Amino acid sequence: MKNLIIVGGTMGVGKTATCRELQKILPRNVFLDGDWCWDMRPFVVTDETKAMVNSNITHLLSGFLACSEFENVIFCWVLHEQHILDDLINALNLNGCTIHCFSLVSTEQALVARLNRDIAAGKRGSDITERSVARMSLYDELDTVKIDVSTISPADAARRITEAVRRGSVAACLAAPGSSAPPEPPSG
């Protein structure tokens, strides 16, 4: 059974770093960062560029899922609205695939500290903090397993994701036809 592991979270929360750590742990994997499909100069968000990015992501993920060499397909992107996640999943052929959806969340203080380090290092522009903090509450509404990364490293977050995938105790983003939806996690 192939795993599609989707990791969302606001800008700067540690998605890419966590997925790089997942690559060190999970066997036979491939990783796609959705931002790679959006890396353009100038950065322009229009209906046309959004459609292009979604098409590119769907094409790449479909290829990874169809390839017998991969057991684990890891994907990260901001994914701040349920319809974005649903549209992506509905566009994929998920036969023989279990979907595992996670959102990395953080306290505002921890997120701002991470972003300030990135800004100081020249990795991000100064406008990122306001935009990223504004999206934090949107993740509470998503049908994903939340992992609070406020006080843990990307390696620790990756270990938690790996344990949840191996236990099969993560909420499926969507029970797509032909996919295997794992049981809901226990409440409490």
Side-chain angles (χ1 to χ4, degrees):
M1 179 68 60
K2 191 169 290 214
N3 293 303
L4 172 58
I5 301 161
I6 300 174
V7 179
T10 196
M11 292 86 70
V13 78
K15 298 176 300 294
T16 301
T18 296
C19 289
R20 287 288 182 208
E21 293 295 330
L22 275 171
Q23 281 197 286
K24 297 174 186 176
I25 300 170
L26 294 173
R28 301 176 53 222
N29 69 70
V30 62
F31 168 45
L32 173 63
D33 186 326
D35 287 347
W36 300 336
C37 297
W38 213 206
D39 190 5
M40 60 184 104
R41 300 287 182 276
F43 183 73
V44 179
V45 179
T46 65
D47 288 342
E48 181 183 18
T49 60
K50 285 192 275 188
M52 175 202 63
V53 168
N54 286 325
S55 175
N56 290 344
I57 289 170
T58 301
H59 176 78
L60 288 167
L61 288 176
S62 293
F64 294 152
L65 290 169
C67 182
S68 63
E69 290 300 318
F70 304 122
E71 181 180 329
N72 295 286
V73 177
I74 304 164
F75 173 66
C76 75
W77 204 18
V78 173
L79 299 167
H80 60 291
E81 296 174 352
Q82 188 67 43
H83 78 88
I84 298 170
L85 192 54
D86 293 345
D87 290 350
L88 171 68
I89 291 168
N90 285 325
L92 298 171
N93 177 350
L94 298 169
N95 288 331
C97 179
T98 302
I99 311 163
H100 308 275
C101 296
F102 299 89
S103 291
L104 303 184
V105 297
S106 174
T107 64
E108 183 174 339
Q109 180 181 5
L111 178 63
V112 169
R114 286 176 195 229
L115 291 170
N116 285 341
R117 285 192 298 273
D118 285 355
I119 292 166
K123 295 178 182 176
R124 297 181 188 271
S126 59
D127 65 329
I128 191 69
T129 304
E130 184 179 334
R131 291 185 299 122
S132 185
V133 168
R135 289 187 177 181
M136 289 177 68
S137 65
L138 298 174
Y139 294 90
D140 295 336
E141 305 303 316
L142 300 181
D143 185 16
T144 60
V145 173
K146 312 307 184 280
I147 298 179
D148 188 338
V149 297
S150 300
T151 60
I152 64 173
S153 69
D156 289 332
R159 281 190 286 277
R160 290 182 188 190
I161 290 171
T162 301
E163 290 167 6
V165 169
R166 288 182 177 153
R167 281 193 318 266
S169 62
V170 296
C173 305
L174 178 73
S179 72
S180 172
E184 292 292 322
S187 59

